[in-house]
């Protein structure tokens, strides 16, 4: 997740921790000074979360990774980890904007293809089933993303609704709710981040790159792993373009 006092996202950078470069896909680089030390003084002791901090032009950027699960050693994915790290990051860093950048499954019936990068217009859950009046709406948790019409136009980004759940696969019940949510893309974190950001009154946008076609012929896990490296590169380029566009602008200009 990048978090900045002017913007925020979710990505991890590699190379020299004292100086890192973000490529924008056009031969240019974003050069800044980066510090990859954990925020031991601001995050609770013992958490696996990792923070990278740096500046690019007039932007103060914090990139937060949930890190590895201490018990299993795998990446901390899903809504619980996303909620915790979003809450702690907002409390510690006071960002003006959160950019949740990550991968997602896409639906070809809604026009999604592998490596497409979407900006979510709305986010909702598809696996919180509470069949009681009003509680059912709470379970779905539909929320709009922060509106960025100028960003969409400038970068020619695809726009679609995002549906979130804690499983990589899709059960028949999940599918019915995703259809009801009119979702184009499906992930495991977005709606949880939106919930926390909404409560704490921090605007959030969601940049999602498609790794697998949920309504396609290939098994989801197989297609996800096959495309992950290529799609992550496409996501990197787009996030850099997003950051470049935001530089020097107020939130109302986005």
């Amino acid at each position: 997740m990048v978090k900045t006092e002017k913007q925020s996202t979710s990505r991890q950078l590699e190379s020299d921790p004292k100086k890192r470069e973000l490529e924008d896909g056009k031969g240019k680089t974003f050069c800044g000074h980066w510090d990859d030390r954990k925020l031991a003084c601001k995050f609770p002791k013992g958490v696996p979360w990792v923070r990278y901090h740096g500046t690019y032009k007039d932007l103060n950027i914090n990139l937060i990774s949930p890190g590895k699960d201490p018990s299993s050693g795998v990446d901390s994915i899903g809504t619980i980890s996303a909620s915790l790290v979003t809450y702690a990051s907002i409390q510690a860093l006071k960002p003006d904007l959160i950019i949740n950048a990550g991968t997602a499954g896409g639906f070809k019936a809604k026009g999604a293809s592998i490596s497409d990068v979407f900006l979510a217009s709305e986010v909702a859950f598809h696996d919180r089933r509470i069949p009681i009046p009003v509680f059912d709406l709470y379970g779905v948790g539909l929320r709009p993303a922060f509106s960025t019409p100028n960003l969409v136009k400038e970068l020619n980004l695809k726009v679609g609704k995002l549906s979130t759940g804690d499983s990589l696969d899709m059960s028949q019940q999940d599918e019915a709710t995703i259809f009801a949510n009119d979702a184009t893309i499906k992930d495991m974190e977005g709606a949880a981040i939106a919930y926390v950001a909404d409560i704490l009154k921090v605007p959030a946008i969601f940049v999602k790159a498609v790794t697998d076609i949920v309504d396609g012929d290939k098994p989801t896990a197989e297609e996800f792993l096959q495309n992950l490296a290529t799609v992550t590169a496409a996501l990197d380029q787009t996030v850099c373009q997003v950051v470049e566009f935001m530089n020097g602008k107020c939130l109302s200009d986005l």
Side-chain angles (χ1 to χ4, degrees):
M1 182 180 308
V2 177
K3 312 214 183 255
T4 96
E5 282 76 65
K6 189 140 191 177
Q7 280 84 298
S8 301
T9 308
S10 190
R11 273 192 345 161
Q12 188 166 329
L13 299 179
E14 300 176 353
S15 82
D16 184 345
K18 297 301 181 183
K19 184 176 182 180
R20 302 176 186 274
E21 297 182 342
L22 304 178
E23 296 183 358
D24 70 355
K26 298 180 181 178
K28 301 177 183 178
T29 57
F30 300 157
C31 298
H33 295 282
W34 296 89
D35 184 351
D36 63 356
R37 292 172 296 179
K38 292 184 180 180
L39 279 180
C41 59
K42 292 189 176 182
F43 286 165
K45 184 178 180 180
V47 298
W49 311 331
V50 180
R51 174 215 187 196
Y52 297 96
H53 172 261
T55 57
Y56 172 65
K57 295 185 178 179
D58 69 345
L59 301 179
N60 186 15
I61 303 175
N62 291 277
L63 295 93
I64 312 299
S65 166
K68 302 286 186 180
D69 176 69
S71 299
S72 65
V74 301
D75 292 334
S76 297
I77 61 176
T79 59
I80 295 175
S81 178
S83 297
L84 285 171
V85 74
T86 301
Y87 174 78
S89 297
I90 291 174
Q91 293 296 99
L93 302 171
K94 304 295 189 289
D96 293 320
L97 177 69
I98 296 173
I99 306 171
N100 172 226
T103 59
F107 292 87
K108 65 179 180 181
K110 301 289 289 185
S113 301
I114 300 296
S115 293
D116 280 350
V117 181
F118 281 85
L119 194 67
S121 56
E122 295 179 331
V123 295
F125 294 97
H126 58 253
D127 61 355
R128 302 202 311 176
R129 290 177 284 275
I130 311 173
I132 302 173
V134 184
F135 281 93
D136 54 354
L137 300 177
Y138 164 78
V140 173
L142 178 66
R143 286 176 172 81
F146 182 69
S147 180
T148 56
N150 295 325
L151 173 65
V152 171
K153 182 178 179 180
E154 177 69 20
L155 299 187
N156 195 29
L157 294 172
K158 288 192 171 185
V159 177
K161 297 180 181 180
L162 170 65
S163 196
T164 297
D166 269 310
S167 296
L168 185 65
D169 62 2
M170 181 177 65
S171 70
Q172 289 184 342
Q173 289 176 304
D174 289 346
E175 184 177 11
T177 306
I178 291 170
F179 181 80
N181 289 344
D182 193 29
T184 300
I185 46 178
K186 164 186 174 292
D187 81 341
M188 298 175 67
E189 291 87 18
I193 292 169
Y195 173 79
V196 177
D198 184 38
I199 287 178
L200 298 180
K201 307 304 179 187
V202 179
I205 66 172
F206 305 84
V207 184
K208 299 291 178 174
V210 176
T211 52
D212 54 278
I213 301 302
V214 184
D215 54 347
D217 300 326
K218 294 183 178 180
T220 296
E222 176 185 319
E223 192 169 29
F224 169 79
L225 293 173
Q226 177 183 341
N227 296 316
L228 183 59
T230 301
V231 171
T232 300
L235 177 65
D236 284 353
Q237 291 181 9
T238 300
V239 171
C240 290
Q241 291 167 0
V242 168
V243 171
E244 176 67 36
F245 177 81
M246 289 180 171
N247 180 66
K249 295 180 176 64
C250 298
L251 291 176
S252 59
D253 295 330
L254 302 181

